Amino acid sequence: AVVGCCSSTTHVQWGNGGGHWGALAVDPDVQGQGIASALVVAAEQRLLDRGCRTVQIEYHYYPGDPYSERLKNWYEGKLGFQGRGSGWRVATKELSPASAAKANLRPSAGDANASSQPAIHTEVQHKAS
C-alpha cells in the first residue's frame, strides 16, 4: 500500500540550478516511522544525481502555532534547512552526498522493532522537463 509521497523538480527557474521538493505527505496512521525522512532522502538524492547543488522548500509557518513549530523543527532542525519569513516560509539548503546519504531504511534482523516497522520502498519517476 502507498503510505506517502514526495515530489521533486530539478533545475527550477529560480536560483542557480537548484532543485525543489514538495507535496510531502504521509498517512497519519504510519507517521513517526521514518517514512517522510526516507522520501526526503530519495528526493534529495534524485536532485543530486541530476546535478542540483541546492534545494528549496516552502511551507506555512505561524510562530507559536504547535503544528507550525513542529514543521519548522523538523525541516530546519533535523533536515538542516535555513528558512526565512512567516506565513509562507521559504527554506533552502546546500546538497552534498553527505546531506542526502542513504538512511538505513530497514531495521536490522536483530532489532526488537523489526517486525513492527514497515519495509520502506521509494520509487522515482522521471518526467522530462
Side-chain angles (χ1 to χ4, degrees):
V2 174
V3 295
C5 66
C6 180
S7 69
S8 60
T9 305
T10 60
H11 304 290
V12 293
Q13 298 300 314
W14 63 87
N16 295 323
H20 179 272
W21 63 253
L24 177 63
V26 174
D27 182 329
D29 291 339
V30 295
Q31 288 180 358
Q33 298 181 35
I35 294 166
S37 295
L39 291 168
V40 168
V41 166
E44 291 184 359
Q45 187 61 56
R46 176 182 181 263
L47 295 175
L48 262 177
D49 291 347
R50 301 285 292 257
C52 297
R53 296 295 171 246
T54 61
V55 61
Q56 176 176 307
I57 62 169
E58 304 85 24
Y59 64 100
H60 289 283
Y61 174 71
Y62 302 98
D65 175 72
Y67 179 75
S68 291
E69 296 297 342
R70 179 179 171 215
L71 283 177
K72 182 181 179 207
N73 288 337
W74 192 66
Y75 290 138
E76 298 181 35
K78 181 177 180 182
L79 298 182
F81 281 87
Q82 295 192 359
R84 61 191 181 283
S86 60
W88 192 244
R89 190 168 177 88
V90 176
T92 58
K93 75 173 178 180
E94 290 191 28
L95 293 175
S96 68
S99 73
K102 301 284 185 186
N104 180 11
L105 303 180
R106 293 183 192 202
S108 65
D111 187 333
N113 296 321
S115 62
S116 64
Q117 294 181 357
I120 298 173
H121 166 78
T122 58
E123 181 176 321
V124 176
Q125 295 183 0
H126 297 279
K127 188 174 186 179
S129 50

